[in-house]
Structure formats: structure tokens, C-alpha cells
Amino acid sequence: MKLVHIKRMRQELLQNPVFSMAAAQFDQVADFLDLNEELRERCKWPKRLISVTVPVKLDSGHVQVFFAHRVQHHLTRGPVKGGLRYHPAVDLGEVAALAMWMNWKCALMDLPYGGGKGGIACDPRTMSQGELERMTRRFTMEILPFIGPEIDVMAPDMGTNEQTMAWITDTYSTHQGYFVPSIVTGKPLGLQGSAGRAQATGHGVAFLASSALHKLGMAVEGATAVVQGFGNVGSHTVYTLANYGVKICGVSDVQGAVWNDTGLDTYALRDHVAKVGTVVGFAGAEAIDPEQLLCQPCDVLAPCALDRVIHGGNAANLQCKILAEGANGPTTPEADAILDQRGDIFVIPDILCNAGGVTVSYFEWVQNFQHYQWTEKEVISKLETLMQKTFEKVTAFAAKHGISQRVAAQSIAIKTVADAKAQRGMFP
Ligand code: NAD
């Protein structure tokens, strides 16, 4: 009976296209590492799948029940770390996939964490601040037995921000009876957040794109880039690349895309977005079809919005030299096979490319335990050192074994987790 139930749970997770993609990537790497069946099973499946309902009194007085999930992939090397997402499409399978990727990302960066992810199926754009606050606080209470600075440390993701983290900190601290800043990362600076956290992911994406340009023998200044998404990751990728002297020729968001052959004025673009909330209508550029944007000629293409945007239908048409994956899971296994066959695009895989966020989150957590604040310069310098070291490790591993950068990054990560599990042994 128990076995039937377990089999059904596996099938349910695998029915989700994002989880099945993460699982397919895992299987490929497990084959490469020749992991034995027991370690494969222990590494692949999440330790805890937590689903709760969250009743919220809306401003209208009506009570709405939201469905929420938190997945803790494993706790073998430390507490789980990962974002909390507010989006209508959140479901358990997708959250489990994102938790698995977080797991490999933390292990790859050698951070003392397992991977976690959470989400509430809701549309934050249609909710008032009061409704969001009540939902966040109630969700925190519902999962209180499963979180803590040494158990599960959340951070912002799509649809959440530092205010969300402030509400979680306050709810948790009120329950404990004292201030516990280390319960989350990505907090406001005034609540012991870290300098440099807001730009960390985008900064890391741009920094590794410049490392890849160096590696290919190309000049950074004057190189061209296209960035999909202009939220936290996309916008900071754009600003940092522009600071390096890279020409940003195209940018998109959920409403559309803009293009300028000679490079966009990113300061003016920032002001435009601050005023109207979208890149669409920017006077210094022409409109372009968002799908076509991905296939424009450029040196760096940085998808920084959604998963599965590089797929079997467009991978053959990409015209970039470097694919810098700011988003989680932007490239499907089908597209990976096409890119591998082409061999002319240098891929910086997501678990490496967008690891700047979790790395500075780790720095924030460390600072909270030290009760000490580092300067932005210290944070960014430590971030760049760690990212460059890991970039070298991944590219060397890929070259040594003749495998893709993605398989190399995931192999290093999965081996780290598998070794830790083997060393700890089995309980009982
Ligand atoms: P965000 O909500 O701040 O921004 C998302 C952006 O994507 C917005 O500009 C939105 O308009 C755009 N977008 C949505 N649909 C689009 C579409 N169809 N075409 C083009 N643009 C579209 O989210 P974020 O924090 O920037 O996260 C983006 C991605 O990066 C996600 O995959 C997230 O999991 C990943 N990520 C984020 C962090 C972080 O620190 N924020 C860290 C690692 C990975």
C-alpha cells in the first residue's frame, strides 16, 4: 500500500513539466557520475513536501483560501535555502523542481545549505498591501514548525520583495519573543539585510557574462547584449553590463520588447520604466516581437524572466555567442541537445549564472549571526571572488570530461550532495 502511494507521488511530480525537466537533467548527470541506485534515489526526491491552505480576509470582508507549498529538497549539508514566489501558476511540482535546482546551486557554490522553494498560488498584482501582509503572516504561521534559521531560510522570488521578508521576520520574531533576522534573507537594510543583496543576482549574471567574453577572447567593452525580463535580475544585469561598456541592444518584459541597434540608453530606460511600469513605448528604441528578440544577433543573450523560453522550436535560431542564464530553467533539455550539437554557443548554466543572489543571501545570514554589517564593496568583492572561482571550476571540469557546462556544473553539485549523504550514512 505504502509503495503504491510512493509510486503515485513520484508520478504526480513527474507529470509537472518543470519537475520532469529537472528530473531529466538529474538522471543525465547521475548516469555520468555512475551514481548507485540508492544514492540516486536519496538525492533525486525531495525530503519534505509541505502544502498548506492559507485563509485570508480580503479588503471586501470576504475570506479567500489560497493554496501554498514549501518544498525542502534535502537538509544533509545545512538548512534549506530558497525563494518564496507569489504567482497564479504556482504548483507543487514546479516548486519541487525549483527546490531541486536550488539544491544543486548551493552545493555548486559550496554554501552550507540544501535547496528549498516555496510559493503561494495568488495574483499579487491584484491584491492590496493589507491583503498581501495578512496572507504572508498567515502563511508564516502555517509553516512555522518547519522553518527556522537552522532549518529553512526563505528569500524573495517572483512576486515577493523585501517587504514580504520584513513581514515574515516580524511574524517569526513575535512568535519567538525576540528579534530573529536570520529567519530570512533579502530583508530591508534597516532590519539587518545585506548591502548589495538587491543587485546581487543581476550583478553575478553580468560578471560571469564578462568572464565568458574574456574566456572567448572577446572584448567586454563594445560587446552587444539582449536581456529578456526587466525585473530584479534583468534590470541589474542590464545596469551592470552597461557599466562594463556592453551595448544593450534589446530588452523585454511581460508586456513587450524594444530594440536599438546602436544600444539603449539604460539610464533613460530606467526612468521610463519607473514612470510607466514597462519597457514598452520607450522613445529611444523601436518595438520588436519578444520571440524574435531572443533570436537577434548579439554577443550575450541573458534570459532573466521565465523557465523554458529556449526550447526545441527556437534553439537552432539563436544568434548569440554566450547564453547567460539569469532565470531558473530557461533552457529545455531538447534545446540543450540542439545547443550541444551546434557547439558554437557558450552556455553559463542557471545554477552557476544566477547564483549571485543565494551567495549574497548566505553572506546576509552570516552577517546576522555575527551581528555585524559588511560594506557593499566587501560584499560585491567576496561575491565576485566566489563566482569566478566556481566559473573556473565548472569550465575546467567541462573541458576535462568533454561535457557541457550544464552537466559539469550539475555533476560537481550532485557529487557534493551524494558524497555528504554517503559520509553521513543512513539513519537508523
Ligand atoms: P521579477 O518578478 O522581479 O521580474 C520578472 C521579469 O520578467 C519582469 O520584468 C516581467 O515583466 C518579466 N516577464 C514575465 N513574463 C515575461 C515574458 N513572457 N517575456 C519577457 N519578460 C517577461 O523576477 P526576478 O526576481 O527578476 O526573477 C526572474 C527569474 O530569475 C526567475 O526565473 C527567478 O526564479 C530567477 N532568479 C531570481 C533571483 C533573485 O534574486 N531575484 C535569483 C536567482 C534566480
Side-chain angles (χ1 to χ4, degrees), residues 366-384:
V366 169
Q367 290 170 76
N368 292 157
F369 284 124
Q370 292 179 334
H371 301 286
Y372 187 72
Q373 304 270 104
W374 305 347
T375 64
E376 182 172 326
K377 203 168 155 205
E378 278 175 283
V379 169
I380 297 297
S381 152
K382 285 184 204 302
L383 170 68
E384 290 182 350

Side-chain angles (χ1 to χ4, degrees), residues 85 157-158 201 230-233 252-254 304-306 327-328 354:
R85 176 176 287 198
D157 193 77
M158 278 168 89
T201 308
F230 202 67
N232 175 280
V233 182
S252 67
D253 64 21
V254 68
C304 298
L306 305 171
N328 286 314
N354 67 32

Side-chain angles (χ1 to χ4, degrees), residues 278-292:
T278 170
V279 299
V280 174
F282 177 52
E286 59 196 65
I288 182 172
D289 174 60
E291 266 300 309
Q292 202 189 327

